[in-house]
């Protein structure tokens, strides 16, 4: 029997499929939406696939770079942003796409996130928020809601979480958006928009991790976890940063929070803008 050819197959390293993702993980939904946006840009001729570079750190989300049929680098935990920065400084024509978890990007790599946004470095950062360090079994992450018990906070997380959208939006980033795996059409739409811009572009994608985070909050069943997340996600049209709530109880606001056309680092270094 001949294999059914999927229209997105050409964007995947098929020899690496199936992925290592757990059944019911939201990351596959996100990857499909991202590839649909990239496919559209490439077929329109606005992106050269030979100039695309995916960079991932360590973790389930970072591992996405294993599966895409593009130049890709799998680097050390939290260091995908500085690796991508070096790549675009050496070769300013590259389109660098960084993927990583909330632990990798906002925790271990948090300092790099701040300074890349401040410098408006030409790259897209896709941060997958599943509220824990998932690959290593569910340690507390900077995004873990207060009170949730994890393997490192068995009596409940005593800390306040970071709101990465507000943090990055308060800096010099040209684009800041949030979507969810329960709204793949917005992942596709926001990534498509980001692909057509310059400067630092940040998209937080809230994802379901039934295997690890689900266990911690009593939502081990993938369908149940997906529908609980869907109930909490609220789309707003171009909301202000003050509205960027991300709270399991009060709701998770998604949308495009920031859209600017500030000069990017590469434009400044090239002297085309100041
Ligand atoms: C420097 C370093 N510290 C710790 C680890 C162990 N480690 C591997 S994956 C991971 C968790 C990744 O969590 P996150 O970035 O949130 O991604 P997720 O798996 O949740 O998608 C950790 C702590 C490592 N590989 N390298
Ligand atoms: S541990 Fe969680 S994030 Fe990682 S593959 Fe499994 S469900 Fe997905």
């Amino acid at each position: 029997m001949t294999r059914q050819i999927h229209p997105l197959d050409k964007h995947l390293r098929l020899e690496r499929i199936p992925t290592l993702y757990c059944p019911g993980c939201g990351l596959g939904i996100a990857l499909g939406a991202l590839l649909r946006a990239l496919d559209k840009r490439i077929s329109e001729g606005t992106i050269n696939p030979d100039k695309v570079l995916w960079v991932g750190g360590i973790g389930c989300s970072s591992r996405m770079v294993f599966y895409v049929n593009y130049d890709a680098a799998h680097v050390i935990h939290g260091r995908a942003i500085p690796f991508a920065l070096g790549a675009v400084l050496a070769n300013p024509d590259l389109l660098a796409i960084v993927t990583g978890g909330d632990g990798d990007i906002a925790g271990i790599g948090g300092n790099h996130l701040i300074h890349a946004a401040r410098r408006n470095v030409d790259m897209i950062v896709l941060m997958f928020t599943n509220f824990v360090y998932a690959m290593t079994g569910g340690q507390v992450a900077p995004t873990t809601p207060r009170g949730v018990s994890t393997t490192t906070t068995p009596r409940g997380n005593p800390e306040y979480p970071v709101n990465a959208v507000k943090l990055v939006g308060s800096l010099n980033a040209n684009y800041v958006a949030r979507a969810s795996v329960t709204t793949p059409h917005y992942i596709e739409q926001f990534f498509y928009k980001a692909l057509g811009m310059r400067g630092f572009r940040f998209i937080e994608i809230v994802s379901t991790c039934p295997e690890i985070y689900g266990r911690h909050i009593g939502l081990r069943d993938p369908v149940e976890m997906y529908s609980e997340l869907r109930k909490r996600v609220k789309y707003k049209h171009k909301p202000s940063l003050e509205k960027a709530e991300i709270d399991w109880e009060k709701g998770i606001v998604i949308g495009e929070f920031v859209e600017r056309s500030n000069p990017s680092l590469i434009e400044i270094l090239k002297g085309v803008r100041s």
Side-chain angles (χ1 to χ4, degrees):
M1 203 170 75
T2 49
R3 192 177 159 276
Q4 176 79 41
I5 306 292
H6 189 276
L8 294 177
D9 275 359
K10 58 181 177 290
H11 301 286
L12 292 166
R13 289 179 194 269
L14 294 177
E15 70 280 10
R16 287 200 178 266
I17 305 294
T19 66
L20 61 56
Y21 300 148
C22 309
C25 176
L27 291 170
I29 298 173
L31 179 58
L34 295 168
L35 292 181
R36 284 193 291 280
L38 187 56
D39 187 66
K40 204 165 163 202
R41 282 274 176 201
I42 291 170
S43 38
E44 287 168 359
T46 46
I47 282 186
N48 175 355
D50 292 336
K51 297 289 179 195
V52 174
L53 170 70
W54 292 72
V55 186
I58 306 291
C60 304
S61 316
S62 302
R63 212 179 168 87
M64 206 170 263
V65 303
F66 272 60
Y67 306 121
V68 291
N69 196 17
Y70 292 89
D71 285 342
H74 187 223
V75 302
I76 52 175
H77 204 7
R79 307 295 176 243
I81 290 177
F83 186 97
L85 168 60
V88 294
L89 286 179
N91 185 350
D93 293 338
L94 286 180
L95 166 64
I97 303 167
V98 168
T99 74
D102 37 9
D104 187 274
I105 301 281
I108 293 176
N111 197 36
H112 302 302
L113 175 67
I114 290 170
H115 294 289
R118 173 181 67 78
R119 292 157 149 173
N120 204 16
V121 181
D122 302 70
M123 66 172 72
I124 299 176
V125 173
L126 304 167
M127 184 180 98
F128 296 88
T129 294
N130 56 23
F131 305 105
V132 276
Y133 285 87
M135 185 178 256
T136 39
Q139 294 80 9
V140 72
T143 47
T144 307
R146 281 197 98 205
V148 169
S149 74
T150 69
T151 52
T152 45
T153 57
R155 292 191 207 97
N157 178 21
E159 301 171 3
Y160 287 92
V162 65
N163 184 322
V165 160
K166 285 190 180 178
L167 173 68
V168 176
S170 72
L171 298 162
N172 189 26
N174 268 355
Y175 186 65
V176 181
R178 184 189 286 136
S180 154
V181 295
T182 57
T183 58
H185 52 295
Y186 286 127
I187 301 178
E188 186 178 334
Q189 190 179 308
F190 300 165
F191 188 52
Y192 178 84
K193 167 92 70 77
L195 285 166
M197 297 175 71
R198 295 222 55 117
F200 194 78
R201 292 144 279 169
F202 178 79
I203 306 176
E204 179 177 27
I205 300 170
V206 182
S207 188
T208 49
C209 168
E211 184 64 31
I212 301 294
Y213 191 60
R215 274 180 210 274
H216 290 314
I217 59 167
L219 293 173
R220 177 66 192 80
D221 178 77
V223 176
E224 210 186 318
M225 184 169 205
Y226 190 87
S227 44
E228 286 300 319
L229 176 61
R230 187 158 55 184
K231 277 188 223 159
R232 287 161 169 83
V233 166
K234 300 170 199 163
Y235 170 78
K236 287 197 194 311
H237 182 67
K238 298 193 185 293
S240 66
L241 282 173
E242 289 70 43
K243 300 258 162 44
E245 192 155 66
I246 177 160
D247 187 296
W248 195 259
E249 302 308 324
K250 295 184 200 148
I252 297 172
V253 176
I254 63 163
E256 298 172 288
F257 298 92
V258 169
E259 217 178 313
R260 304 179 178 119
S261 57
N262 290 348
S264 74
L265 183 67
I266 297 292
E267 288 173 327
I268 292 169
L269 294 179
K270 279 184 169 172
V272 292
R273 292 181 74 193
S274 54

